[in-house]
Amino acid sequence: MGTINTKPENTGAFQDEPAGQTNEERLFQKIVEEQETCALIFLDKEGIIKSWNKGAGIIKGYSRSEAIGKHFDISFLPEDRAADIPANLLKVSMLDGKAVYEGWCIRKDASTYWGQISLKALYNEKGQLLGFSELALDLSLERAAAERSESGATQLRNANQALNESGEMYQGMIAEIQDYAIIRLDVNGVIKSWNLGAEKIKGYKAEEILGKHFSIFYEAPDQANGLPQKLIECARHTGSAKHEGWRVRKDGSRFWGSIVITALHAGNGDVIGFTKVTRDLTEKKLIDDELKRSSEELKISIAELRKSEERYHKMVQEVQDYAIIMLDEQGNVISWNIGAERIKGYQAKEIIGVNFRIFYPPRDKEAGLPEKLIEIAVKNGKATHEGWRVRKDGSRFWGSITITALHGGDNSIIGFSKVTRDLTERKFTEDKMKDYVMQLENKNWELEQFAYVASHDMQEPLRKIQTFTDIIQSNPNNQAVIDKYFPKINTSAKRMSMLIKSILDYSRLDKVKHKVHTDLNMVLESVRFDLELLIQERHAVILHEPLPAIDVYPDQVTQLFTNILGNALKYCDKQPVVKIASTFVRKEDIKNPPADLEHEYFLELSFQDNGIGFEQQYAEVIFAIFQRLHARDKYEGTGIGLAMCKRIMKNHSGFMRATGEPGKGACFYTYFPVSYPVYSMNKEAAATG
């Protein structure tokens, strides 16, 4: 059995504890639970365990679930429980404020350890007992060290007797020991022998220290207080003396030494000298001091946390700008604050117990985003994300979220905290600004193109008209001149008119703002009807598989089909053949998609022709306004058609690209964004034939 020591101490005032543990309290307990070097436990008024930290599990061997609800006497030996030592500790703690026990304790696996248990009674401001705090330490290593030191001293006393018979063997054995400084003193404390351990620990060689008084190892205050002489006298009268304290090496540095001085007696019982065994416990001292400091800081932290706990809970509950919720290990909601109700629209009674996947749109659920965020939080400690979320009424908001993993005493995941902020207004503002900037960039680009056509393409027919008119005016009576230049004036005027019409068509592309669910087969038939004469004239063949119906701007898509098919018929030196195909693709399946592409699912339309083609290096140039790769006298046109096609695809939040090879034809690809249901249904239809 160990010994019980008590020490009166003012306990201070504590706030009343909540009647039971809530999920929010686990946040507070996490700070305590992470302490590994000591067991820090809270007991109720009867001594029943109410909390269990990581250090308690390490020292006592019980998991949190095994310990909670048991009496704190599970750590005492059966004979100590029979002697009512645990109950007496509680009584002493209530009377004196604090009680300390040091002795053998028992773990869950029935192994024993030398432990120290400190109990402190906790009272509220009214002086009412709330319970007890228990601080437990495992001192087995320290006790073992003390026993080894005492054992070494005992062996040394026995060796003194054998020394008379085998002096050389004894001296050799002692001299080679390095973990202990083992020296012999005469009756006055003068050093008579010195081993390797003494040289290693204290820094002196034998020739430097033999003949000097052992007080040289003590600090000035200890020398002034006569500590060395007191230890000698204690050993002289009681047989041995033990002490721990700071000692001084040869180089002036300090070490924490544990010493045992043992008196040596002659056959008649007279003291003839002393043995002194010293062990360097500096590392243990530093650890103990750090543990003590940490323990004191922890006590202060606990007191402060207790005082602010209620304020913390109220703060979380009353925060309105953030949704602050807690999830269990599976992601089910277990707490709900006012901010969560305001942002997401659910009351606590409606959402508690529901999985947090409910806040995500169908596409994110399909992609497994909620589960991925949980996995990231488990792996990295937390996960952050921004994206669209769904309220109770089905409306969407742009949420910025942080999910943080919470750990139990055994470092296992016990749940997650999730903080969400509604950034919809910021998102709309950013998107609006982004669109505005893009519109400005597009307008500036178009203005540059219009400036080009005004200074080049439109100036050309104007100059011809002016020149031919001047010639006719100079020859008013020459019918041959008039007949020659009037048709040229008419051709230039038609060219001017065609340019103006194309510019007007291009500038009107942004006017329509309402998409209509449109059957693309009907659009194709309408365009074929408009191009009927040209198709017949060129004996063109247009092949296509059934096309789907999607949401588009019908007039613009008609213009798109007209321009692409018109180019295929125009830029061909043989019988034109055009093949039109469609397929639904995901963004990830598109090779090198535009960086600013926001949608996930697309309808890909391809227009393959057998025309004159183009060099692939001009694949982007052909979409620039007023850009032509071929002479106007060979292939007529304004250079606006493909620029209009690209603009139409941009209006649909899609894009367009082309491939070509001179003499073998070209293929134009258009990508229209579609919703996931449209994509899914068409993929299923394709899979089933």
Side-chain angles (χ1 to χ4, degrees), residues 31 201 323 352 446 481 570 579 623 629 658 671:
I31 299 174
I201 293 173
I352 297 295
E446 290 170 5
V481 171
K570 184 192 325 178
K579 298 178 182 179
F623 292 108
L629 299 183
Y671 294 88

Side-chain angles (χ1 to χ4, degrees), residues 219-230:
E219 293 185 306
D222 288 339
Q223 293 184 20
N225 292 331
L227 177 60
Q229 192 59 37
K230 291 177 182 177

Side-chain angles (χ1 to χ4, degrees), residues 99-160:
V100 180
Y101 169 86
E102 184 169 328
W104 289 108
C105 300
I106 188 168
R107 298 186 179 91
K108 174 189 174 184
D109 62 5
S111 62
T112 58
Y113 64 96
W114 188 264
Q116 184 184 82
I117 297 176
S118 298
L119 290 182
K120 183 176 180 181
L122 306 176
Y123 296 87
N124 62 15
E125 294 177 347
K126 299 178 181 179
Q128 297 171 330
L129 178 67
L130 299 175
F132 305 84
S133 67
E134 177 188 349
L135 176 65
L137 302 172
D138 183 355
L139 303 180
S140 299
L141 294 178
E142 290 80 355
R143 178 172 175 81
E147 288 177 348
R148 284 195 297 270
S149 297
E150 184 174 358
S151 175
T154 301
Q155 291 174 4
L156 191 58
R157 286 196 298 270
N158 295 335
N160 281 325

Side-chain angles (χ1 to χ4, degrees), residues 525-544:
E525 287 304 313
S526 174
V527 172
R528 291 181 65 165
F529 180 79
D530 291 340
L531 299 175
E532 183 177 11
L533 293 178
L534 183 58
I535 292 172
Q536 291 177 358
E537 178 184 329
R538 300 299 310 277
H539 303 290
V541 177
I542 299 177
L543 305 173
H544 72 95

